[in-house]
Amino acid sequence: MTLYPELIASVLYQASGSEEVIEPVYFYIGIVFGLQGIYVTALFITSWVMSGTWLAGMLTVAWFIINRTDTTRIDYSIPSRENWALPYFACQVAALTGYLKNNINSSAESFCYLLVSAATYTFMMMWEYSHYLLFVQAVCLFLLDSLTLVQTEKVHEVYKIYLFSLFLGYLLQFENPALLVSPLLSLVAALMLSKCLEMNMKKGTFISRLLKIMHFYLVFTVTVTLNFLLKMFVPHKENEHLLKFLEVKFGLNTTKNFTMNWLLCQESLQAPSQDFFLRLTQSSVLPFYILVLIICLFSVTQVIFKRIRMDLEFLPYHPNPHCLTWGNEKFVSCVKITLGEPLRETVTLEDGKIGERPEIVYHIIHTLLLGSLAMILEGMKYLWTPYVCMLAAFGVCSPELWMTLFKWLRLKAVHPILLALILSMAVPTIIGFSLWKEFFPRIMTELSELQEFYDPDTVELMMWIKRQAPVAAVFAGSPQLMGVIKLCTGWMVTSLPLYNDDDLLKRNENIYQIYSKRSAEDIYKILTSYKASYLIIEDSICNEVGPVRGCRIKDLLDIANGHMVCDENESYTYSKYGRFCHEIKMNHSPYVNYFTRVYWNRSYFVYRINTVISFQS
């Protein structure tokens, strides 16, 4: 459990003297919403740095808020780890954008470097899955470096930041083995090894040229091998279920396992629906994003092919690798185009080559990788959609992008630079007014609505626990209900709705057996093994009638226990025992021997688990 966010919040609450001013829960909510403000501000700065105009930042914020259903889940999952972590990642991306720029001065570069370091480490401490997202970022930087579109020294400085953050995070997370076996550590180690081999090779030799060609293969092989060796020697259980889930997700394996099938049924782990794309299209962000992405991709492709052509055709014809001989002319141009350095130090507006800016290329690769993940798992859209808003806003507000388009069109009727400047201001202004007219009244109406969730049955259950349950009582039930009980009453529970550990997932599956077709004795043994003293049955799960029959909790349990067989779209169920959650309500033997009902209402049935078993019928 990553509890550093709560620890930091509690320290701030005590240090600021807020005990007499505000309740802890509202202080906590205020911090989380304040972080979302930092998140949006970081996106604002990133688009401003890329485009050179604050209009891009304003448009990014507008699209982010309008598409908040797909950019954040802060409105219904406030304590989620990602709500604490992603603002720091956005700050890191903003600082990295400035750091990768070619024409940045030394003081600004140092500031960006320090901000990248601090944000990377903080992000890693806030979220258990942070190293996976940093791995995606490291792949982007690796591709950027391999295509020689960025200064190699800067990329390797970022690699050092990764290593330092992993090492410090490993220590402060109580020697968390997940960081040692993370793909990020293996990739960075492979890249560092590859750099050492290249530095020890003489430039221009056959072996060094061969090593350049085998660079991708070398890095990939070393990364996989090192990760495999680390997993062999470092004992770990964290996140193993993710690999099993991906195997089943992509059809590489089939399983009857309850946890795997339950994960496959979750909406956030399925492919995005058509409604997702329809919402982005209605807010106009998706069409502009696709347009900007296509223009930038073509420009980057041109730069890459130019880079490869220059390396393959010109360098062998002159003994000095820094000089180019053009054809049969007696003219030698000495320019710095060695591998690992960008084509140009600066790209002017007249050039119309937006693909030569390393920070732009980084964001193009970044959004493509995150977009690929979002097309597989809908839950990944919360990582991708904010950068869709940012990239689309940057594109329509960037004179360089318009100039790149005009260069291809060979526009001569109107001065292209003047037209690019006009469109970079006119287009976002028109978009802004249209968004204001269509969405502003809707947003204000939603803000004026005050909603409160109240479930009287759940409130009655919490009140009964506080008044009647012994202080040493331990409750067992569904993980979601146990989380509510722990939060509202403070009583001990057997499980919590946490899904980042194999042992916790197995515990949740065992507790869920109260909704399966197993004997009273089996359920009794399971519950007593976790030292539970009270059992809570939920009617909403026991009598669940879901739209997808195979995704109901009781169906998944029947499949995992072998009590259901599916053949040619027909389901056959068999078990010598009835469903436990139904049978226990009948109050007949042997259920009354093991369990005694002590409270019930329309939604919940609470049973005391007998310590002394009576076998009287």
Side-chain angles (χ1 to χ4, degrees):
M1 295 176 65
T2 308
L3 294 179
Y4 276 106
E6 281 72 22
L7 179 63
I8 295 172
S10 63
V11 171
L12 290 175
Y13 184 70
Q14 297 290 337
S16 61
S18 302
E19 297 94 330
E20 300 178 358
V21 180
I22 187 173
E23 294 183 25
V25 62
Y26 294 114
F27 184 84
Y28 182 91
I29 293 172
I31 290 180
V32 178
F33 274 86
L35 285 173
Q36 302 312 300
I38 295 176
Y39 191 2
V40 177
T41 302
L43 294 173
F44 176 95
I45 295 173
T46 305
S47 56
W48 189 348
V49 170
M50 293 171 63
S51 64
T53 173
W54 59 269
L55 280 176
M58 295 297 294
L59 190 56
T60 300
V61 174
W63 268 327
F64 183 93
I65 295 174
I66 291 170
N67 296 283
R68 62 193 178 281
T69 304
D70 303 303
T71 56
T72 179
R73 41 185 162 202
I74 183 67
D75 56 339
Y76 63 89
S77 61
I78 290 177
S80 175
R81 301 298 86 176
E82 67 185 56
N83 292 332
W84 286 87
L86 291 182
Y88 295 103
F89 182 69
C91 292
Q92 191 251 25
V93 170
L96 185 62
T97 302
Y99 183 67
L100 293 177
K101 290 172 68 73
N102 287 327
N103 57 343
I104 187 174
N105 58 58
S106 58
S107 59
E109 182 177 325
S110 301
F111 173 77
C112 290
Y113 177 80
L114 293 175
L115 186 56
V116 169
S117 303
T120 301
Y121 168 70
T122 309
F123 173 59
M124 191 170 293
M125 295 298 295
M126 293 293 170
W127 196 21
E128 64 269 20
Y129 298 123
S130 58
H131 55 88
Y132 291 111
L133 188 52
L134 290 175
F135 170 75
V136 174
Q137 187 183 74
V139 171
C140 297
L141 295 175
F142 166 59
L143 295 175
L144 199 64
D145 185 28
S146 300
L147 298 173
T148 66
L149 296 173
V150 69
Q151 297 178 24
T152 303
E153 293 77 13
K154 289 187 176 182
V155 174
H156 286 279
E157 287 298 323
V158 179
Y159 293 158
K160 294 177 184 178
I161 293 174
Y162 291 151
L163 289 177
F164 174 76
S165 300
L166 284 168
F167 173 73
L168 198 58
Y170 172 75
L171 295 179
L172 293 182
Q173 290 184 5
F174 309 99
E175 299 182 358
N176 182 7
L179 297 181
L180 293 183
V181 299
S182 66
L184 175 64
L185 178 60
S186 302
L187 176 62
V188 173
L191 291 169
M192 290 294 187
L193 178 62
S194 174
K195 179 186 178 183
C196 293
L197 292 176
E198 289 181 9
M199 290 177 61
N200 293 328
M201 293 293 178
K202 294 182 179 180
K203 301 297 182 182
T205 63
F206 173 77
I207 297 179
S208 67
R209 293 178 186 276
L210 186 62
L211 190 61
K212 283 289 183 184
I213 298 174
M214 298 177 63
H215 185 61
F216 283 94
Y217 176 77
L218 175 67
V219 171
F220 175 78
T221 305
V222 174
T223 300
V224 174
T225 304
L226 183 59
N227 192 254
F228 177 76
L229 293 175
L230 286 173
K231 287 184 176 180
M232 283 183 58
F233 292 101
V234 178
H236 69 288
K237 293 182 179 180
E238 287 79 1
N239 302 328
E240 281 189 354
H241 61 281
L242 292 178
L243 297 178
K244 298 176 183 177
F245 166 76
L246 291 176
E247 288 181 1
V248 179
K249 176 72 175 179
F250 295 118
L252 301 177
N253 196 1
T254 57
T255 181
K256 293 183 178 180
N257 181 270
F258 169 81
T259 301
M260 290 300 104
N261 289 327
W262 180 82
L263 290 173
L264 287 172
C265 287
Q266 300 305 302
E267 183 179 353
S268 61
L269 297 178
Q270 298 177 4
S273 61
Q274 292 182 354
D275 293 338
F276 167 61
F277 299 103
L278 181 61
R279 288 192 298 268
L280 295 184
T281 303
Q282 289 175 342
S283 64
S284 73
V285 65
L286 187 60
F288 283 108
Y289 167 76
I290 294 174
L291 177 63
V292 171
L293 185 63
I294 291 174
I295 295 174
C296 290
L297 274 177
F298 272 110
S299 182
V300 171
T301 305
Q302 283 183 332
V303 173
I304 292 173
F305 278 109
K306 181 180 178 181
R307 171 80 262 193
I308 295 174
R309 187 173 65 251
M310 294 175 70
D311 287 333
L312 295 180
E313 294 182 3
F314 296 132
L315 287 177
Y317 292 102
H318 200 279
N320 186 351
H322 296 278
C323 297
L324 304 181
T325 304
W326 299 88
N328 296 324
E329 299 180 11
K330 296 180 179 180
F331 174 75
V332 175
S333 174
C334 293
V335 293
K336 294 186 71 175
I337 62 163
T338 55
L339 291 177
E341 296 183 6
L343 278 173
R344 296 185 180 205
E345 289 296 324
T346 58
V347 180
T348 61
L349 179 60
E350 293 83 354
D351 295 331
K353 295 180 180 178
I354 200 168
E356 289 189 5
R357 292 174 54 186
E359 70 274 17
I360 303 300
V361 184
Y362 160 73
H363 280 285
I364 294 301
I365 300 174
H366 193 195
T367 189
L368 286 175
L369 292 180
L370 291 180
S372 301
L373 295 174
M375 295 304 104
I376 300 173
L377 305 173
E378 186 172 7
M380 296 298 294
K381 70 181 181 181
Y382 299 106
L383 302 177
W384 178 61
T385 314
Y387 296 97
V388 169
C389 300
M390 185 269 296
L391 197 66
F394 141 75
V396 298
C397 298
S398 173
E400 291 181 63
L401 185 132
W402 290 105
M403 193 64 193
T404 302
L405 180 61
F406 295 155
K407 281 283 186 179
W408 294 339
L409 299 177
R410 297 181 180 179
L411 186 64
K412 296 181 179 179
V414 182
H415 198 285
I417 297 179
L418 179 61
L419 185 59
L421 291 172
I422 293 175
L423 289 177
S424 64
M425 292 185 291
V427 173
T429 303
I430 295 172
I431 296 173
F433 275 117
S434 63
L435 294 178
W436 176 280
K437 181 179 179 181
E438 181 176 356
F439 292 98
F440 181 75
R442 191 183 309 174
I443 292 175
M444 295 305 296
T445 302
E446 293 177 359
L447 288 175
S448 64
E449 294 179 357
L450 296 178
Q451 299 180 359
E452 181 180 8
F453 174 77
Y454 180 74
D455 182 0
D457 292 343
T458 303
V459 173
E460 290 175 7
L461 175 64
M462 299 302 123
M463 295 303 295
W464 180 87
I465 292 174
K466 288 182 178 181
R467 295 171 179 173
Q468 304 294 331
V471 177
V474 180
F475 289 87
S478 69
Q480 291 75 20
L481 179 60
M482 295 302 100
V484 175
I485 291 175
K486 184 65 178 176
L487 179 65
C488 296
T489 68
W491 259 248
M492 294 185 65
V493 295
T494 57
S495 59
L496 287 171
L498 300 170
Y499 311 109
N500 58 346
D501 182 82
D502 285 341
D503 291 336
L504 292 174
L505 288 171
K506 185 62 179 177
R507 176 187 287 252
N508 290 340
E509 179 182 351
N510 290 336
I511 299 298
Y512 265 132
Q513 295 297 325
I514 61 179
Y515 301 104
S516 67
K517 296 180 177 181
R518 297 182 63 173
S519 67
E521 183 181 2
D522 287 346
I523 302 300
Y524 181 83
K525 289 180 179 179
I526 292 174
L527 296 176
T528 52
S529 68
Y530 292 116
K531 298 181 173 57
S533 52
Y534 286 87
L535 167 65
I536 303 178
I537 299 291
E538 297 174 65
D539 251 5
S540 59
I541 300 178
C542 189
N543 300 319
E544 183 180 6
V545 182
V548 183
R549 182 179 176 82
C551 282
R552 297 182 301 182
I553 293 294
K554 52 188 178 181
D555 293 337
L556 296 175
L557 288 169
D558 290 345
I559 293 173
N561 296 333
H563 298 156
M564 177 183 290
V565 179
C566 298
D567 183 25
E568 296 181 355
N569 298 326
E570 295 288 337
S571 297
Y572 304 95
T573 60
Y574 62 92
S575 176
K576 63 179 182 179
Y577 302 106
R579 195 168 302 281
F580 177 83
C581 62
H582 288 152
E583 297 295 327
I584 194 175
K585 297 176 185 177
M586 303 297 180
N587 285 329
H588 58 69
S589 182
Y591 296 91
V592 294
N593 300 332
Y594 296 99
F595 307 96
T596 302
R597 188 165 65 187
V598 293
Y599 173 80
W600 71 94
N601 59 28
R602 292 176 301 176
S603 302
Y604 303 102
F605 293 80
V606 183
Y607 295 86
R608 184 179 66 247
I609 301 173
N610 299 332
T611 55
V612 179
I613 304 173
S614 172
F615 290 98
Q616 298 178 1
S617 58

